[in-house]
Amino acid sequence: MELADVTARPADDGRWTLVFTRDLRHPPEKVWAALTEPGQLREWAPFEPDRDLATPGAATLVMDGAGTEETILKADRPHLLEYTWGGDLLRWELEPTESGTRLRLSHTMPGPDWAARNAAGWHVCLDTADLLLAGTPKGRVVGDDALAHGWQDLRDAYETKLS
């Protein structure tokens, strides 16, 4: 299991930001579509949106049957997507590389104790997104399914890496 490049640091507001960086073998436009289009998000993300996330404004993100009103703050195709999610802030930055895209997710959360947990979750989600982008979708992996896909081992490994 290859871990993503991760760091966790204090944010300006007393919260913490996990920075999760991973290289994908797909061009930025294709990765952008996976980050913004509802049909693709339903295949890998921990939530389902009520609309395309490629434009700023209100959006409902549904997780475990409950929807939350969120705000798409920035959408600069195919470079930057930033939105709120359950009180957290997600900032997705896409940078073209020779072999595809460097994806950098900055996830601002309540505190440092959330960093390894969220890193493991995003790792599982992005493994699933990578399969979708490669044309071999396996469907969303959340909750107990994530445990069966190594979430606990990933959490432990990210805990060590972030220490």
Side-chain angles (χ1 to χ4, degrees):
M1 138 183 68
E2 184 176 341
L3 298 180
D5 187 19
V6 293
T7 60
R9 65 178 190 270
D12 293 336
D13 59 2
R15 296 161 46 88
W16 279 70
T17 299
L18 168 72
V19 180
F20 186 100
T21 304
R22 181 159 170 183
D23 289 333
L24 299 170
R25 300 164 290 132
H26 314 284
E29 278 290 340
K30 194 170 185 180
V31 176
W32 177 264
L35 291 174
T36 59
E37 294 176 7
Q40 292 195 51
L41 283 161
R42 284 184 193 102
E43 291 293 317
W44 70 268
F47 55 77
E48 293 185 32
D50 69 338
R51 69 169 183 90
D52 192 297
L53 304 182
T55 56
T60 300
L61 304 181
V62 178
M63 183 173 169
D64 297 330
T68 58
E69 280 298 314
E70 305 298 345
T71 304
I72 310 307
L73 301 166
K74 296 177 184 172
D76 178 17
R77 179 187 196 116
H79 309 290
L80 174 67
L81 178 65
E82 184 176 277
Y83 53 91
T84 60
W85 181 43
D88 290 357
L89 178 68
L90 301 179
R91 179 182 176 92
W92 302 87
E93 297 172 84
L94 306 178
E95 177 186 334
T97 64
E98 211 171 276
S99 60
T101 302
R102 175 156 297 136
L103 180 144
R104 181 174 299 108
L105 168 61
S106 298
H107 183 161
T108 301
M109 60 200 125
D113 50 324
W114 288 80
R117 173 185 174 274
N118 286 340
W122 288 120
H123 187 113
V124 171
C125 287
L126 290 171
D127 278 354
T128 306
D130 194 39
L131 291 171
L132 171 70
L133 291 166
T136 55
K138 299 293 184 203
R140 175 192 317 229
V141 178
V142 295
D144 289 341
D145 289 341
L147 291 173
H149 281 82
W151 180 89
Q152 185 64 52
D153 289 339
L154 286 164
R155 195 209 69 77
D156 294 346
Y158 280 115
E159 182 74 38
T160 299
K161 190 168 185 170
L162 288 164
S163 299

